[in-house]
Amino acid sequence: MNRPPLHALLGFATAARLNNLTRAAEQMHLTVSALSHQIRTLEQRLGRRLFERGPRGVRLTADGERLLSVVAPHLDALDHALRPYSPRRDDVLTLSLMASMASSWLVPRLGGFVARYPQLELNLFSSAALVDFDREPGIDAAMRGGYGRWPGLVIEHLFDETLIPVASPALVERMGGLPAQEDLHRWPLLGDLSTYWQDWFDRYGGKPPARFVAHFDDSETMHRAAVEGLGVALGRMARTRLLIRNGQLVPLSQGRLKIDWGHYLVYPPRSVDHAGLESFRTWLHEQAREYVEQMDSDLAVRDLAGAPAATRKPRAKRA
């Protein structure tokens, strides 16, 4: 038997995974008619029906299931082997990062980057998952938050994260004004002692509450809960600084807690000589330095982020 052509096996596998000839044809940049012809030719060569056609798409026959189980791993291995040879354009930079970091920190600054490098096309992909550069060769670099330990990657530190208790102006008003540090445990707090609250109380005094109002498995939801007035978040400054400036959150303390969790630019060795990435990383480090320099002065100038005098709780007179 003559060996089936590779393009027919690829068409078969694509249709099998999507269960739809139209979508498979679009993905392969073929007409539906051309893809159908490839599959019919493959069926004739093998002497077996591979698909059952129906009004809502196609589904594999038992023979089709067996063929896919044998062919798919080899097609995946071939695709993986060829990925490093994909063409790269130095005037196109593709970056992966979390949506919260994109919207609160990077995007507000991008106007300056675009103005400086108008010839460079920047593609941003938002994802909470860490990108696998081996499996996704189209992504050149990533902005990640963590502890700076990613083996096999080039890691460049941008800035450390800083925490500060924040609440909505409505909650501050409801509680009668800004609290003294020793009274913070009386407020509705978001999180738990594993989310740096214990470190906060150890450093600035006071004691943890008997219970926390709510705990969240991601910081973005916690910050949103604080904006909605649910309670006090020990907020990340990279996320909350814009919310403070917009008046959506109010710092409850002038103290800040720097933690060993930071923000980094990371990329695989294949991107080291990417001209577009070199331009971006130069600009990004400038922005990171400027952010660190402005963070302390920004809070000081605004006097607790501009909290109106009416929201400040008067301190009791000493006897």
Side-chain angles (χ1 to χ4, degrees), residues 139-158:
I139 297 180
D140 303 302
M143 290 179 65
R144 288 181 176 173
Y147 300 99
R149 297 187 290 269
W150 296 286
L153 299 179
V154 180
I155 303 170
E156 299 185 8
H157 178 260
L158 297 174

Side-chain angles (χ1 to χ4, degrees), residues 74-146:
H74 297 286
L75 292 176
D76 290 342
L78 183 60
D79 178 65
H80 181 74
L82 292 175
R83 283 180 179 181
Y85 300 95
S86 300
R88 186 186 78 185
R89 291 178 53 188
D90 279 356
D91 61 343
V92 177
L93 177 65
T94 302
L95 183 71
S96 170
L97 72 169
M98 293 188 67
S100 58
M101 188 61 176
S103 62
S104 64
W105 197 90
L106 183 62
V107 172
R109 295 169 165 80
L110 274 183
F113 176 77
V114 172
R116 186 187 299 185
Y117 303 102
Q119 77 285 357
L120 184 61
E121 177 184 322
L122 183 62
N123 298 320
L124 301 182
F125 285 89
S126 299
S127 174
L130 298 180
V131 62
D132 185 333
F133 290 104
D134 290 333
R135 291 183 175 273
E136 301 185 66
I139 297 180
D140 303 302
M143 290 179 65
R144 288 181 176 173

Side-chain angles (χ1 to χ4, degrees), residues 86-282:
S86 300
R88 186 186 78 185
R89 291 178 53 188
D90 279 356
D91 61 343
V92 177
L93 177 65
T94 302
L95 183 71
S96 170
L97 72 169
M98 293 188 67
S100 58
M101 188 61 176
S103 62
S104 64
W105 197 90
L106 183 62
V107 172
R109 295 169 165 80
L110 274 183
F113 176 77
V114 172
R116 186 187 299 185
Y117 303 102
Q119 77 285 357
L120 184 61
E121 177 184 322
L122 183 62
N123 298 320
L124 301 182
F125 285 89
S126 299
S127 174
L130 298 180
V131 62
D132 185 333
F133 290 104
D134 290 333
R135 291 183 175 273
E136 301 185 66
I139 297 180
D140 303 302
M143 290 179 65
R144 288 181 176 173
Y147 300 99
R149 297 187 290 269
W150 296 286
L153 299 179
V154 180
I155 303 170
E156 299 185 8
H157 178 260
L158 297 174
F159 55 88
D160 292 324
E161 187 57 88
T162 302
L163 307 181
I164 185 171
V166 289
S168 69
L171 180 59
V172 173
E173 183 176 357
R174 197 161 69 240
M175 295 295 293
L178 295 174
Q181 174 61 44
E182 61 270 18
D183 293 333
L184 191 57
H185 71 285
R186 303 181 189 278
W187 285 52
L189 303 186
L190 305 176
D192 57 42
L193 291 181
S194 68
T195 54
Y196 293 103
W197 271 116
Q198 185 65 65
D199 295 332
W200 175 269
F201 287 113
D202 287 345
R203 178 167 181 177
Y204 291 104
K207 60 181 181 178
R211 59 178 291 273
F212 287 80
V213 173
H215 175 67
F216 303 91
D217 63 356
D218 71 281
S219 62
E220 181 64 17
T221 305
M222 180 188 67
H223 289 118
R224 175 50 52 188
V227 169
E228 297 299 328
L230 184 63
V232 179
L234 196 54
R236 300 181 185 274
M237 284 300 299
R239 176 70 183 97
T240 59
R241 189 165 179 255
L242 187 61
L243 298 173
I244 291 171
R245 281 188 165 187
N246 293 340
Q248 294 177 274
L249 288 176
V250 174
L252 302 187
S253 171
Q254 288 182 316
R256 270 147 280 168
L257 181 67
K258 184 175 288 189
I259 59 176
D260 58 354
W261 193 98
H263 296 274
Y264 299 83
L265 175 69
V266 300
Y267 48 92
R270 61 174 165 80
S271 295
V272 168
D273 61 347
H274 191 300
L277 177 58
E278 179 61 28
S279 298
F280 179 76
R281 60 181 294 275
T282 298

